[in-house]
């Protein structure tokens, strides 16, 4: 899965936003909601002190799928792990 996370504007009403950018198109359409679920699960508890992560936009723009190994659970887990990796990475 490829993408990024970014803060939402201070005046945003929602505390979370998910977007799919048109990119490689390698993630089958039926697995996009699973990615959203994975991100939502990831923001429930931040890694530093355990409070929810708020005012964040999660964007995916590419990924890979496999005819045998791709499943809803696999994409949900991939999104959760991708968020944690991106969130814990120092900003550049």
């Amino acid at each position: 899965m490829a993408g990024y996370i970014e803060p939402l504007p201070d005046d945003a009403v929602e505390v979370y936003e998910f977007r799919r950018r048109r990119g490689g198109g390698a993630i089958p359409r039926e697995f996009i909601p699973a990615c959203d679920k994975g991100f939502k699960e990831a923001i429930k508890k931040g890694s530093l002190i355990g409070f929810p992560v708020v005012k964040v936009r999660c964007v995916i723009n590419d990924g890979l799928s496999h005819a045998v190994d791709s499943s809803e659970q696999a994409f949900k887990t991939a999104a959760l792990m991708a968020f944690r990796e991106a969130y814990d990475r120092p900003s550049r």
Side-chain angles (χ1 to χ4, degrees):
M1 182 173 303
Y4 55 93
I5 60 173
E6 62 186 3
L8 286 171
D10 289 335
D11 62 346
V13 176
E14 299 296 322
V15 296
Y16 165 78
E17 184 178 298
F18 171 73
R19 287 195 183 169
R20 176 183 178 206
R21 298 259 188 236
R22 298 288 178 201
I27 298 176
R29 212 176 282 195
E30 65 267 20
F31 295 128
I32 298 300
C35 296
D36 186 25
K37 287 179 187 177
F39 288 130
K40 284 180 180 175
E41 186 174 321
I43 66 169
K44 285 181 182 178
K45 186 177 175 184
S47 60
L48 196 58
I49 56 175
F51 284 100
V53 178
V54 295
K55 300 277 185 170
V56 65
R57 177 181 294 130
C58 300
V59 182
I60 57 174
N61 54 21
D62 203 0
L64 296 173
S65 65
H66 187 271
V68 176
D69 296 328
S70 290
S71 67
E72 183 174 329
Q73 184 61 40
F75 278 95
K76 180 180 173 185
T77 301
L80 185 134
M81 299 304 291
F83 180 87
R84 287 181 181 166
E85 182 181 326
Y87 187 74
D88 290 339
R89 186 179 316 144
S91 60
R92 299 173 191 199

